[in-house]
Amino acid sequence: MATPPPASSGAAPLVLVVGAGPVGLTAANLLGALGVRVLVVERHTTTSDDAKAISLDDESLRTLQLAGLDEAVYPIIVPGTGTRYYGVGGRPLVHARGTGVRRYGHPFKNPFAQPDLERVLRSALDRFPHVDVRFGTRLVELSQYPDRVWATLASSDGDSDEVTRQIEAAYVLACDGGRSTVREQLSVPMRGRSYPDDVWLVVDTLEDPHDERYGMHVGDPDRPLVIVPGREGRCRYEFRLRQGECAPGGAVPFGLVRELLRPYRDITSRQVERSVAYTFHALLAERLRDGRCFLLGDAAHMMPPFAGQGLNSGVRDAANLCWKVAEVLAGRAADTLLDTYDVERRPHAQAMIDLSVRLGRVVMTTDHRRARVRDLCVRAALRSRRGRRYLTEMRYRPDTRVRAGAVVPADGPGQALAGTLLYQPVVLQGPGCSLTRLDDLLGPGWSLLGIGLSDDDWTPVSAAGLPDARRVDVVLGDRAPRERGGRAAVADGDGALDAYLASLPGRLMLVRPDRLIAAVFTPGQVEHVARTLARFLSRTRPAQGSGPERPRPALHLPPGED
């Protein structure tokens, strides 16, 4: 290894985010909200005008809420009601809506236009004086050292030759897409397969008559297609193409677009916002961490679009990683915490890839026999309560539970909750019994919920060595929350809190900053939990110049402003 350049002194450690798509901008907002100094670089000169991703789920909206962004994002989404599936001949099969309960405090599935989202996310970064965004700047080279990364960047204003410079970063987050420069420089291979013979045409249209608040997956083997209505007359159509109709990546004849859309609408060339033919991939990087560099989003995994989870998986990456980076930089956690990023995200990313492939094979098949069998199986399943719930509540989606990493498996009551995302009900907050969302009360860091505990139950917690956390008394039943002992207090506000935690009186719940439940335990088990997490959270000396954590500013944009 070459001798590293001398380290800079005085300034807070910098996190370099490569790529200013939705995942990179989300990561920058999360890091900025946690007080981390960030530089975002993007080779293009502006945010994208291409409407690529089109669906945000409830987990992604909750992540944006953690960054103070949900109020700014709601004006650009269509709070949706799931996906309606059709079979042979376009006959209806099933409407998959989810459970109908806002477990995480937001609608289950929500169409949007990616250019709108990118503009909101980019504008939000102006809140943070410690976050710098530079468009028209590309990564040229990376050099890793044990304590830092040196990156060579090249930029141009379009009127002069490129100017190169070197910057020092504590960590690099690669959010630079499927053709990631960072991944290439790290020589990290992608494992899986591509589907070069499955060519799809995406057409984004304007002034469209569709006003449904759900996506439509039409599994007619003669011409499988997807229709996703958006805001203000926008609508996306995706058609499976037959051999010879259009080559992927090539120019799309308007005549083909008009012919395919004829059963659904008349269209002029002016009303076509975007049309592109593409093939898809089912790939996962061999490793998501390489030294001080991390892969997120399409740089880490690519999947078919049929589960609508490509972007959402990238947002999950950012939610999982960013708080860990902030904790390590602030000296509140060991480097081993960063190793849990791969351990925790890989199984779920692979499961989502596999689900997307299966949905493509089953829902979008061109085999008439398979399509007829599929339709018969779905209609048969809908006759039973179990089968109906499996399909309508989308229980075929992979379990998001984290089983290894910075979590402590639980025994007895609570074992099903450890490693899952904390629900976000509406709660009554003491002493005024005001209604609030649970996350807004918990704040940006760790939290420790005491479910029906007495003051004596809290006594062994103080000296146990758990991470610094906001302590909250959860009051069960029809009793008002009362703050005591320096702890916040909440009670049920809409029936969801009691239903969720009624089986856990006398237990504590340790919740990570990403709202994953790290442990559920009794006061007598607190030492065991502290010892288990100590290998991740043992105190280290803060990075030079890191300084105290900055408070998180909220962002409030009126509708239409970005």
Side-chain angles (χ1 to χ4, degrees), residues 25-26 28-30 32-33 47 64 67-70 72-73 116-131 133 552-557 561-562:
L25 292 172
T26 297
N29 272 282
L30 288 169
T47 55
L64 296 175
L69 283 168
D70 57 316
V73 170
D116 294 340
L117 178 64
E118 290 191 19
R119 285 191 286 270
V120 168
L121 295 176
R122 167 61 191 93
S123 296
L125 293 175
D126 291 338
R127 296 175 291 169
F128 306 120
H130 50 286
V131 176
V133 183
R552 183 181 77 187
L555 175 69
H556 304 284
L557 292 180
E561 266 192 51
D562 53 31

Tab-separated table of all heavy atoms in Angstrom, residues 25-26 28-30 32-33 47 64 67-70 72-73 116-131 133 552-557 561-562:
chain	number	residue	atom	x	y	z
A	25	LEU	N	-29.373	11.043	-2.412
A	25	LEU	CA	-29.942	12.235	-1.781
A	25	LEU	C	-30.629	11.889	-0.461
A	25	LEU	O	-30.590	12.678	0.489
A	25	LEU	CB	-30.930	12.907	-2.735
A	25	LEU	CG	-30.300	13.533	-3.995
A	25	LEU	CD1	-31.381	13.988	-4.962
A	25	LEU	CD2	-29.380	14.695	-3.632
A	26	THR	N	-31.251	10.708	-0.382
A	26	THR	CA	-31.828	10.273	0.894
A	26	THR	C	-30.745	10.069	1.932
A	26	THR	O	-30.861	10.509	3.090
A	26	THR	CB	-32.628	8.972	0.707
A	26	THR	OG1	-33.728	9.212	-0.182
A	26	THR	CG2	-33.168	8.463	2.038
A	28	ALA	N	-27.807	11.461	2.033
A	28	ALA	CA	-27.257	12.763	2.414
A	28	ALA	C	-28.181	13.480	3.391
A	28	ALA	O	-27.722	14.136	4.337
A	28	ALA	CB	-27.020	13.614	1.170
A	29	ASN	N	-29.496	13.373	3.192
A	29	ASN	CA	-30.438	13.996	4.118
A	29	ASN	C	-30.400	13.331	5.489
A	29	ASN	O	-30.445	14.012	6.520
A	29	ASN	CB	-31.857	13.941	3.548
A	29	ASN	CG	-32.184	15.126	2.657
A	29	ASN	OD1	-32.466	16.216	3.144
A	29	ASN	ND2	-32.122	14.912	1.354
A	30	LEU	N	-30.302	12.005	5.521
A	30	LEU	CA	-30.221	11.312	6.811
A	30	LEU	C	-28.946	11.689	7.553
A	30	LEU	O	-28.968	11.972	8.752
A	30	LEU	CB	-30.273	9.797	6.584
A	30	LEU	CG	-31.625	9.223	6.159
A	30	LEU	CD1	-31.466	7.779	5.714
A	30	LEU	CD2	-32.642	9.317	7.292
A	32	GLY	N	-27.091	14.388	7.042
A	32	GLY	CA	-27.161	15.804	7.394
A	32	GLY	C	-28.001	16.033	8.630
A	32	GLY	O	-27.660	16.845	9.496
A	33	ALA	N	-29.130	15.296	8.753
A	33	ALA	CA	-29.989	15.433	9.922
A	33	ALA	C	-29.300	14.967	11.193
A	33	ALA	O	-29.661	15.396	12.295
A	33	ALA	CB	-31.282	14.643	9.711
A	47	THR	N	-30.404	17.269	-11.283
A	47	THR	CA	-31.146	16.064	-10.946
A	47	THR	C	-31.782	15.506	-12.215
A	47	THR	O	-31.929	16.199	-13.222
A	47	THR	CB	-32.241	16.366	-9.908
A	47	THR	OG1	-33.080	17.421	-10.405
A	47	THR	CG2	-31.629	16.777	-8.583
A	64	LEU	N	-38.006	8.857	5.280
A	64	LEU	CA	-38.007	10.278	4.958
A	64	LEU	C	-38.533	11.103	6.122
A	64	LEU	O	-38.085	12.234	6.340
A	64	LEU	CB	-38.825	10.518	3.692
A	64	LEU	CG	-38.253	9.862	2.425
A	64	LEU	CD1	-39.196	10.059	1.244
A	64	LEU	CD2	-36.868	10.410	2.094
A	67	ALA	N	-35.792	11.887	8.435
A	67	ALA	CA	-34.968	12.990	7.950
A	67	ALA	C	-35.716	14.315	7.935
A	67	ALA	O	-35.191	15.316	7.456
A	67	ALA	CB	-34.452	12.673	6.541
A	68	GLY	N	-36.946	14.342	8.468
A	68	GLY	CA	-37.725	15.575	8.497
A	68	GLY	C	-38.312	15.955	7.165
A	68	GLY	O	-38.552	17.131	6.890
A	69	LEU	N	-38.609	14.940	6.305
A	69	LEU	CA	-38.973	15.227	4.919
A	69	LEU	C	-40.370	14.792	4.525
A	69	LEU	O	-40.793	15.062	3.401
A	69	LEU	CB	-37.974	14.531	3.976
A	69	LEU	CG	-36.618	15.195	3.819
A	69	LEU	CD1	-35.662	14.259	3.122
A	69	LEU	CD2	-36.774	16.472	3.024
A	70	ASP	N	-41.086	14.095	5.382
A	70	ASP	CA	-42.341	13.516	4.921
A	70	ASP	C	-43.359	14.582	4.517
A	70	ASP	O	-44.086	14.414	3.535
A	70	ASP	CB	-42.918	12.562	5.970
A	70	ASP	CG	-43.132	13.223	7.315
A	70	ASP	OD1	-42.233	13.967	7.750
A	70	ASP	OD2	-44.186	12.995	7.947
A	72	ALA	N	-42.765	17.380	3.140
A	72	ALA	CA	-42.379	17.909	1.841
A	72	ALA	C	-42.646	16.917	0.720
A	72	ALA	O	-42.863	17.312	-0.427
A	72	ALA	CB	-40.892	18.279	1.852
A	73	VAL	N	-42.660	15.618	1.044
A	73	VAL	CA	-42.822	14.586	0.023
A	73	VAL	C	-44.293	14.310	-0.272
A	73	VAL	O	-44.660	13.999	-1.407
A	73	VAL	CB	-42.089	13.293	0.450
A	73	VAL	CG1	-42.445	12.124	-0.457
A	73	VAL	CG2	-40.581	13.523	0.435
A	116	ASP	N	-39.731	14.617	-9.534
A	116	ASP	CA	-40.278	15.421	-8.436
A	116	ASP	C	-39.600	15.074	-7.116
A	116	ASP	O	-39.244	15.960	-6.326
A	116	ASP	CB	-41.784	15.185	-8.304
A	116	ASP	CG	-42.575	15.687	-9.496
A	116	ASP	OD1	-42.051	16.541	-10.236
A	116	ASP	OD2	-43.717	15.223	-9.687
A	117	LEU	N	-39.418	13.782	-6.862
A	117	LEU	CA	-38.787	13.365	-5.610
A	117	LEU	C	-37.355	13.863	-5.524
A	117	LEU	O	-36.923	14.366	-4.480
A	117	LEU	CB	-38.816	11.839	-5.501
A	117	LEU	CG	-38.135	11.263	-4.252
A	117	LEU	CD1	-38.863	11.700	-2.985
A	117	LEU	CD2	-38.053	9.737	-4.324
A	118	GLU	N	-36.602	13.748	-6.593
A	118	GLU	CA	-35.211	14.195	-6.565
A	118	GLU	C	-35.113	15.689	-6.295
A	118	GLU	O	-34.233	16.139	-5.552
A	118	GLU	CB	-34.515	13.837	-7.882
A	118	GLU	CG	-34.279	12.339	-8.054
A	118	GLU	CD	-33.355	12.031	-9.213
A	118	GLU	OE1	-32.623	12.942	-9.657
A	118	GLU	OE2	-33.361	10.872	-9.674
A	119	ARG	N	-36.026	16.468	-6.881
A	119	ARG	CA	-35.979	17.919	-6.636
A	119	ARG	C	-36.272	18.246	-5.169
A	119	ARG	O	-35.623	19.115	-4.577
A	119	ARG	CB	-36.954	18.641	-7.572
A	119	ARG	CG	-36.466	18.727	-9.011
A	119	ARG	CD	-37.324	19.671	-9.827
A	119	ARG	NE	-38.625	19.093	-10.136
A	119	ARG	CZ	-38.888	18.370	-11.221
A	119	ARG	NH1	-37.923	18.125	-12.094
A	119	ARG	NH2	-40.103	17.906	-11.437
A	120	VAL	N	-37.226	17.541	-4.582
A	120	VAL	CA	-37.535	17.776	-3.162
A	120	VAL	C	-36.354	17.391	-2.291
A	120	VAL	O	-35.953	18.130	-1.374
A	120	VAL	CB	-38.800	16.993	-2.752
A	120	VAL	CG1	-38.960	16.988	-1.231
A	120	VAL	CG2	-40.036	17.610	-3.392
A	121	LEU	N	-35.768	16.215	-2.553
A	121	LEU	CA	-34.640	15.759	-1.753
A	121	LEU	C	-33.442	16.681	-1.900
A	121	LEU	O	-32.731	16.966	-0.922
A	121	LEU	CB	-34.259	14.331	-2.154
A	121	LEU	CG	-35.294	13.243	-1.879
A	121	LEU	CD1	-34.805	11.901	-2.411
A	121	LEU	CD2	-35.611	13.136	-0.398
A	122	ARG	N	-33.199	17.155	-3.115
A	122	ARG	CA	-32.073	18.078	-3.331
A	122	ARG	C	-32.313	19.406	-2.614
A	122	ARG	O	-31.417	19.927	-1.930
A	122	ARG	CB	-31.873	18.322	-4.830
A	122	ARG	CG	-30.956	19.488	-5.179
A	122	ARG	CD	-29.545	19.286	-4.629
A	122	ARG	NE	-28.740	20.498	-4.731
A	122	ARG	CZ	-28.627	21.405	-3.782
A	122	ARG	NH1	-29.295	21.277	-2.632
A	122	ARG	NH2	-27.856	22.454	-3.952
A	123	SER	N	-33.510	19.957	-2.739
A	123	SER	CA	-33.801	21.236	-2.079
A	123	SER	C	-33.674	21.121	-0.567
A	123	SER	O	-33.241	22.057	0.106
A	123	SER	CB	-35.202	21.716	-2.454
A	123	SER	OG	-35.305	21.982	-3.835
A	124	ALA	N	-34.036	19.962	-0.032
A	124	ALA	CA	-33.985	19.774	1.415
A	124	ALA	C	-32.580	19.881	1.965
A	124	ALA	O	-32.380	20.260	3.130
A	124	ALA	CB	-34.585	18.412	1.777
A	125	LEU	N	-31.590	19.559	1.174
A	125	LEU	CA	-30.204	19.613	1.646
A	125	LEU	C	-29.735	21.031	1.925
A	125	LEU	O	-28.726	21.235	2.610
A	125	LEU	CB	-29.272	18.932	0.646
A	125	LEU	CG	-29.475	17.419	0.511
A	125	LEU	CD1	-28.579	16.855	-0.604
A	125	LEU	CD2	-29.175	16.702	1.827
A	126	ASP	N	-30.445	22.017	1.405
A	126	ASP	CA	-30.073	23.404	1.682
A	126	ASP	C	-30.270	23.756	3.152
A	126	ASP	O	-29.789	24.801	3.619
A	126	ASP	CB	-30.900	24.360	0.810
A	126	ASP	CG	-30.525	24.266	-0.665
A	126	ASP	OD1	-29.404	23.808	-0.964
A	126	ASP	OD2	-31.366	24.624	-1.516
A	127	ARG	N	-30.986	22.907	3.907
A	127	ARG	CA	-31.130	23.139	5.355
A	127	ARG	C	-29.804	23.032	6.087
A	127	ARG	O	-29.639	23.582	7.171
A	127	ARG	CB	-32.061	22.079	5.959
A	127	ARG	CG	-33.470	22.067	5.496
A	127	ARG	CD	-34.197	20.866	6.106
A	127	ARG	NE	-33.733	19.602	5.565
A	127	ARG	CZ	-34.049	18.404	6.071
A	127	ARG	NH1	-34.811	18.337	7.155
A	127	ARG	NH2	-33.618	17.297	5.508
A	128	PHE	N	-28.888	22.281	5.503
A	128	PHE	CA	-27.696	21.870	6.244
A	128	PHE	C	-26.457	22.606	5.735
A	128	PHE	O	-25.988	22.332	4.616
A	128	PHE	CB	-27.475	20.362	6.098
A	128	PHE	CG	-28.654	19.519	6.477
A	128	PHE	CD1	-29.246	18.674	5.553
A	128	PHE	CD2	-29.184	19.566	7.759
A	128	PHE	CE1	-30.325	17.881	5.896
A	128	PHE	CE2	-30.270	18.787	8.115
A	128	PHE	CZ	-30.839	17.943	7.178
A	129	PRO	N	-25.881	23.500	6.530
A	129	PRO	CA	-24.640	24.161	6.097
A	129	PRO	C	-23.472	23.189	6.006
A	129	PRO	O	-22.462	23.499	5.358
A	129	PRO	CB	-24.407	25.213	7.186
A	129	PRO	CG	-25.150	24.715	8.381
A	129	PRO	CD	-26.340	23.988	7.848
A	130	HIS	N	-23.594	22.013	6.622
A	130	HIS	CA	-22.508	21.045	6.620
A	130	HIS	C	-22.651	20.008	5.514
A	130	HIS	O	-21.911	19.024	5.477
A	130	HIS	CB	-22.431	20.346	7.985
A	130	HIS	CG	-23.736	19.812	8.469
A	130	HIS	ND1	-24.732	20.618	8.960
A	130	HIS	CD2	-24.230	18.548	8.536
A	130	HIS	CE1	-25.763	19.888	9.324
A	130	HIS	NE2	-25.486	18.616	9.061
A	131	VAL	N	-23.610	20.216	4.590
A	131	VAL	CA	-23.779	19.324	3.440
A	131	VAL	C	-23.562	20.123	2.162
A	131	VAL	O	-24.213	21.151	1.941
A	131	VAL	CB	-25.184	18.673	3.428
A	131	VAL	CG1	-25.366	17.828	2.162
A	131	VAL	CG2	-25.381	17.808	4.672
A	133	VAL	N	-23.344	19.896	-2.098
A	133	VAL	CA	-23.755	19.108	-3.257
A	133	VAL	C	-23.110	19.714	-4.497
A	133	VAL	O	-23.264	20.911	-4.762
A	133	VAL	CB	-25.284	19.088	-3.418
A	133	VAL	CG1	-25.688	18.190	-4.586
A	133	VAL	CG2	-25.964	18.630	-2.134
A	552	ARG	N	-31.645	18.279	14.600
A	552	ARG	CA	-32.231	18.058	13.288
A	552	ARG	C	-33.248	19.139	12.970
A	552	ARG	O	-34.288	19.243	13.625
A	552	ARG	CB	-32.923	16.694	13.248
A	552	ARG	CG	-33.496	16.367	11.882
A	552	ARG	CD	-34.200	15.023	11.906
A	552	ARG	NE	-35.515	15.145	12.546
A	552	ARG	CZ	-36.287	14.119	12.814
A	552	ARG	NH1	-35.862	12.906	12.582
A	552	ARG	NH2	-37.471	14.297	13.375
A	553	PRO	N	-33.001	19.946	11.935
A	553	PRO	CA	-34.005	20.926	11.557
A	553	PRO	C	-35.117	20.258	10.762
A	553	PRO	O	-34.888	19.310	10.035
A	553	PRO	CB	-33.225	21.920	10.669
A	553	PRO	CG	-32.099	21.122	10.121
A	553	PRO	CD	-31.777	20.060	11.128
A	554	ALA	N	-36.328	20.748	10.918
A	554	ALA	CA	-37.441	20.209	10.143
A	554	ALA	C	-37.552	20.972	8.839
A	554	ALA	O	-37.085	22.108	8.714
A	554	ALA	CB	-38.737	20.325	10.934
A	555	LEU	N	-38.165	20.342	7.870
A	555	LEU	CA	-38.373	20.977	6.574
A	555	LEU	C	-39.860	21.038	6.303
A	555	LEU	O	-40.563	20.040	6.398
A	555	LEU	CB	-37.691	20.172	5.464
A	555	LEU	CG	-37.939	20.683	4.036
A	555	LEU	CD1	-37.239	22.010	3.838
A	555	LEU	CD2	-37.486	19.677	3.010
A	556	HIS	N	-40.359	22.205	5.985
A	556	HIS	CA	-41.773	22.350	5.664
A	556	HIS	C	-41.866	23.145	4.365
A	556	HIS	O	-41.574	24.332	4.328
A	556	HIS	CB	-42.526	23.080	6.773
A	556	HIS	CG	-42.387	22.420	8.102
A	556	HIS	ND1	-43.064	21.272	8.433
A	556	HIS	CD2	-41.610	22.720	9.180
A	556	HIS	CE1	-42.754	20.900	9.663
A	556	HIS	NE2	-41.865	21.760	10.128
A	557	LEU	N	-42.269	22.473	3.302
A	557	LEU	CA	-42.446	23.146	2.024
A	557	LEU	C	-43.922	23.173	1.674
A	557	LEU	O	-44.615	22.164	1.810
A	557	LEU	CB	-41.689	22.405	0.901
A	557	LEU	CG	-40.164	22.422	0.976
A	557	LEU	CD1	-39.606	21.651	-0.213
A	557	LEU	CD2	-39.627	23.838	0.967
A	561	GLU	N	-43.966	23.644	-4.137
A	561	GLU	CA	-42.638	24.236	-4.050
A	561	GLU	C	-41.604	23.167	-3.852
A	561	GLU	O	-41.770	22.258	-3.064
A	561	GLU	CB	-42.563	25.209	-2.875
A	561	GLU	CG	-42.843	26.635	-3.280
A	561	GLU	CD	-42.476	27.603	-2.171
A	561	GLU	OE1	-41.357	27.526	-1.651
A	561	GLU	OE2	-43.337	28.411	-1.858
A	562	ASP	N	-40.523	23.220	-4.601
A	562	ASP	CA	-39.425	22.299	-4.389
A	562	ASP	C	-38.111	23.013	-4.602
A	562	ASP	O	-37.104	22.383	-4.668
A	562	ASP	CB	-39.548	21.082	-5.328
A	562	ASP	CG	-39.704	21.453	-6.792
A	562	ASP	OD1	-39.159	22.495	-7.189
A	562	ASP	OD2	-40.370	20.720	-7.523
